[in-house]
Amino acid sequence: MEGKDEDVRLGANRYRERQPIGTTAQSQDVKDYQEPPPAPLFEPGELSSWSFYRAGIAEFVATFLFLYITVLTVMGVARSPKKCSSVGIQGIAWAFGGMIFALVYCTAGISGGHINPAVTFGLFLARKLSLTRAVFYMIMQCLGAICGAGVVKGFQKTQYERLGGGANTISKGYTKGDGLGAEIVGTFVLVYTVFSATDAKRNARDSHVPILAPLPIGFAVFLVHLATIPITGTGINPARSLGAALIFNKDQAWDDHWVFWVGPFIGAALAALYHQMVIRAVPFKSK
């Protein structure tokens, strides 16, 4: 045993960690990575490219499927007199997180797998895509969400109207400020995870650590839903909130609807600012 312990000790001293960490790693030039130029604000050439429209269609279909599955899940829980006799809040959280995992995996190579105007907005602020593409994505996401909720209502109109249609509202006992704060922080967690999981420089530097980007993104959605379903039903996705509210179209769905747009966009902006200025320190890089 003494010989084995000696080998371990010598090995630990002989083969020290060569991968720098912390600020050292950030200051080191990564040979296999170059910072891409920021996306132009307007890129008219995109409008004549089929890949541009293909990406928009992918966002539409993904958001359509997202709303269809998740709204049905929410209605199934609302229909049950006892939460324990249904999938409950945990099941709703898994439905949202699992669908994001699957859909991001399917569409990441086509459109980036945003499926959320707040994610698109955050990536736009970080200059990861042009304003033209960002606006197009948001429109297609909202249309997909409306169609997804519309199909659910078309199949189960009576149940849809009776069970609330999955529309986001601020729960009794909570103020508008509580709901706004929950949406801001929840969206920050999501968008920050998106930035970290898709960071090309991190993947190049830490290539020894394999990562499947849709997994942490979906898991972040799952965790945020566990925390905020009791407060707002969890929006963190303006398209999801708009689709359900528009098809349900009752006063309670519109009373605090602004919270589910303002909160996610503020949270996305803060996440983009934090990742670009603190984590990546992009404005402070020496030229």
Side-chain angles (χ1 to χ4, degrees), residues 179-197:
L180 183 63
E183 290 296 305
I184 291 174
V185 176
T187 311
F188 180 94
V189 172
L190 169 60
V191 178
Y192 176 43
T193 304
V194 169
F195 273 107
S196 298

Side-chain angles (χ1 to χ4, degrees), residues 50 56 74 140 159 198 202 270:
W50 165 240
V74 171
M140 297 302 282
Q159 297 289 343
T198 59
R202 176 183 179 183
L270 292 174

Side-chain angles (χ1 to χ4, degrees), residues 67 71 145-146 148-150 160 164-168 238-250 253-254 257:
L67 263 288
V71 168
I146 293 168
Y160 187 90
N168 288 117
R240 171 260 187 274
S241 300
L242 176 65
L246 190 62
I247 300 302
F248 183 58
N249 201 28
K250 296 290 192 298
W254 296 112
H257 186 69

Side-chain angles (χ1 to χ4, degrees), residues 195-218:
F195 273 107
S196 298
T198 59
D199 190 341
K201 182 176 181 180
R202 176 183 179 183
N203 291 338
R205 185 183 67 234
D206 301 334
S207 57
H208 60 290
V209 182
I211 184 168
L212 181 63
L215 182 59
I217 295 171

Side-chain angles (χ1 to χ4, degrees), residues 131-233:
L131 178 61
T132 311
R133 185 175 291 265
V135 172
F136 182 52
Y137 276 15
M138 291 181 190
I139 292 173
M140 297 302 282
Q141 290 157 0
C142 290
L143 290 176
I146 293 168
C147 292
V151 169
V152 175
K153 184 176 182 179
F155 288 160
Q156 306 179 32
K157 183 175 182 179
T158 302
Q159 297 289 343
Y160 187 90
E161 294 181 349
R162 183 174 70 86
L163 299 173
N168 288 117
T169 59
I170 296 177
S171 302
K172 293 181 180 180
Y174 294 96
T175 66
K176 290 180 174 62
D178 296 333
L180 183 63
E183 290 296 305
I184 291 174
V185 176
T187 311
F188 180 94
V189 172
L190 169 60
V191 178
Y192 176 43
T193 304
V194 169
F195 273 107
S196 298
T198 59
D199 190 341
K201 182 176 181 180
R202 176 183 179 183
N203 291 338
R205 185 183 67 234
D206 301 334
S207 57
H208 60 290
V209 182
I211 184 168
L212 181 63
L215 182 59
I217 295 171
F219 198 61
V221 171
F222 165 72
L223 293 174
V224 171
H225 275 74
L226 284 181
T228 60
I229 283 176
I231 305 173
T232 63

Side-chain angles (χ1 to χ4, degrees), residues 112-123:
H114 297 189
I115 322 171
N116 185 337
V119 171
T120 300
F121 181 66
L123 294 172

